[in-house]
Amino acid sequence: MRDAQSEFSHEELIAIEWAAIHAWPALKNRDIDGWLWRYSGGGSQRANSVSPIAFHGTDVEEAIDEAERLYFSQSAASRFRVFDTLSQPADLDQRLEVRGYKITESVLTLAKRVGACSSPLDVRFLDQPSDGWMEVYLSNIAADRRPAAPSLLALVPQPRTYFTVEVDGQVISTGLGVRCGNVVIAECIGTRQEARRTGGASRVMTALEAWAKAQGASIVALQAVTTNFPAQQLYAALGYTKIGGLHYRVRER
């Protein structure tokens, strides 16, 4: 997959990360000298980690101590999103490694400029997730994420739209688009297991881009686990390119 980071300004890369945080809210949030501490319980790493892209404090180690104190008070592991280029300070990854934080998962940030496209006729736009949408979405996430998923979805802000592709009255593919400023984040892209490789997810992504254009956004972005090779192939075929990466570092109490 081509690396397109140079095609996006630093300000756009920051905006995409804030949009990704905005699109998947956490149940609890705290500011730590510009870092955003988030906690929701369950298995969502994004909604249970520190986003460290805006640090304005004077003592990094003290800020890490505060993040740990907050997580440990919830009987949770302390977790940070660590970016290839956006983390502040730049040596955060090394500081966390020294403290015993382990890397648990790597993620690619993918994006494209919104182009001219129209929504496929068989994609439905929904204000709320239908039962079929929820069934397919939950089937595509880890079991430890399922209990908290409805609560997190209820917090997803407007403007946002849920997408489905149905065959014979059954939902086979899902998606969620959330706009934040000039960026639309694609979430919850998935297909029923027996219907995979039939083009449902591709049609959802095309509809999502058409919705983004109608919303006045100029960038569509998403974050995908590095080891999810079928997803990487899908997004590459649709014109998405890598604009950055991150990994999670975790420390148990």
Side-chain angles (χ1 to χ4, degrees):
M1 179 175 291
R2 183 168 59 90
D3 190 325
Q5 183 172 337
S6 61
E7 298 178 14
F8 292 82
S9 69
H10 179 75
E11 291 73 20
E12 287 177 321
L13 298 178
I14 293 291
I16 288 168
E17 169 57 14
W18 281 125
I21 294 298
H22 172 85
W24 202 247
L27 298 180
K28 296 182 179 180
N29 300 273
R30 288 281 295 273
D31 176 86
I32 303 176
D33 292 335
W35 287 348
L36 180 60
W37 177 93
R38 301 179 1 122
Y39 175 75
S40 299
S44 172
Q45 297 210 75
R46 193 181 351 164
N48 290 282
S49 57
V50 176
S51 184
I53 61 174
F55 185 70
H56 54 64
T58 58
D59 190 329
V60 179
E61 296 300 324
E62 185 176 292
I64 298 173
D65 287 342
E66 175 65 6
E68 291 179 351
R69 185 189 68 77
L70 290 170
Y71 281 123
F72 296 161
S73 71
Q74 301 290 331
S75 299
S78 181
R79 180 181 286 107
F80 282 74
R81 287 161 68 82
V82 183
F83 298 88
D84 292 350
T85 60
L86 301 180
S87 296
Q88 294 184 12
D91 66 348
L92 177 63
D93 197 42
Q94 291 78 14
R95 290 174 180 269
L96 295 175
E97 185 176 23
V98 168
R99 282 176 169 250
Y101 281 73
K102 305 300 183 184
I103 295 175
T104 59
E105 187 173 77
S106 296
V107 175
L108 294 179
T109 300
L110 312 174
K112 68 180 294 188
R113 304 287 182 184
V114 173
C117 62
S118 57
S119 178
L121 295 177
D122 63 344
V123 180
R124 294 183 61 197
F125 292 53
L126 307 174
D127 293 331
Q128 299 292 335
S130 64
D131 290 344
W133 190 99
M134 286 296 297
E135 178 189 357
V136 174
Y137 169 62
L138 293 175
S139 74
N140 279 287
I141 62 175
D144 63 350
R145 293 184 59 190
R146 293 170 191 164
S151 296
L152 297 182
L153 284 167
L155 296 174
V156 174
Q158 297 278 8
R160 49 110 174 96
T161 293
Y162 297 86
F163 302 87
T164 63
V165 173
E166 299 183 14
V167 173
D168 296 328
Q170 182 182 60
V171 175
I172 65 163
S173 294
T174 62
L176 167 62
V178 186
R179 181 174 69 79
C180 179
N182 201 35
V183 180
V184 164
I185 298 293
E187 300 281 357
C188 308
I189 308 301
T191 297
R192 190 179 296 273
Q193 184 173 3
E194 61 269 26
R196 289 174 183 167
R197 299 191 179 279
T198 61
S202 178
R203 298 201 293 281
V204 164
M205 290 299 297
T206 300
L208 190 149
E209 184 176 354
W211 179 78
K213 186 174 182 63
Q215 287 286 314
S218 64
I219 298 170
V220 178
L222 58 95
Q223 294 179 330
V225 177
T226 305
T227 55
N228 189 344
F229 300 114
Q232 306 296 341
Q233 292 174 339
L234 166 67
Y235 300 131
L238 292 170
Y240 288 81
T241 50
K242 176 187 173 183
I243 63 166
L246 64 96
H247 56 265
Y248 288 94
R249 279 206 181 263
V250 179
R251 178 188 172 188
E252 301 292 340
R253 185 166 188 171

